Amino acid sequence: MLVSYTYLYEGKWQNPPSGVDHLHTFHGKVEQKAAWARGLFIGYSGFSEAGLIAFGRGKRVICMDGYDLSEAFMRELPLNQVLERKVRRAAETGLAFVRVRDLF
């Protein structure tokens, strides 16, 4: 059975790492959408460790940082494959953020 998801995207292009407040706000937006919607949050400067821990596990949001984007582009990885691997790892571990270099 083919399951298709719609991704809602939010990006923070700022110098400080994104914190739990950004993640919770975006997750709240995703939760208000249809069950087949997922969230992709891109924090250009990454995420604070405390923020990722406080955000918790098992959410409908996966995360990327600027380094992930660079890695995907330099290695010519299709975005759909990157998302599939991130979602798979999130399902296995509950972690919203796993680096692209650790997935390929």
Side-chain angles (χ1 to χ4, degrees):
M1 177 168 92
L2 177 63
V3 177
S4 180
Y5 291 94
T6 298
Y7 280 86
L8 306 173
Y9 157 80
E10 185 164 322
K12 293 292 181 195
W13 305 102
Q14 59 190 20
N15 283 330
S18 295
V20 69
D21 54 336
H22 296 128
L23 294 169
H24 277 305
T25 299
F26 181 58
H27 184 257
K29 294 174 186 176
V30 173
E31 284 293 309
Q32 294 175 3
K33 303 302 180 191
W36 58 85
R38 290 181 177 165
L40 171 61
F41 189 98
I42 300 178
Y44 176 76
S45 295
F47 303 90
S48 69
E49 189 68 30
L52 287 173
I53 291 169
F55 182 57
R57 297 172 174 260
K59 306 286 195 285
R60 287 174 34 200
V61 172
I62 56 173
C63 300
M64 294 181 78
D65 63 9
Y67 188 78
D68 276 349
L69 288 175
S70 175
E71 184 84 5
F73 291 142
M74 288 187 336
R75 295 175 64 181
E76 298 181 6
L77 300 170
L79 183 58
N80 65 325
Q81 287 182 11
V82 171
L83 293 176
E84 286 172 8
R85 294 226 184 157
K86 282 184 166 281
V87 167
R88 169 87 183 211
R89 187 65 61 89
E92 294 169 350
T93 65
L95 300 175
F97 179 62
V98 177
R99 297 187 184 284
V100 166
R101 69 175 178 245
D102 296 331
L103 296 172
F104 290 86

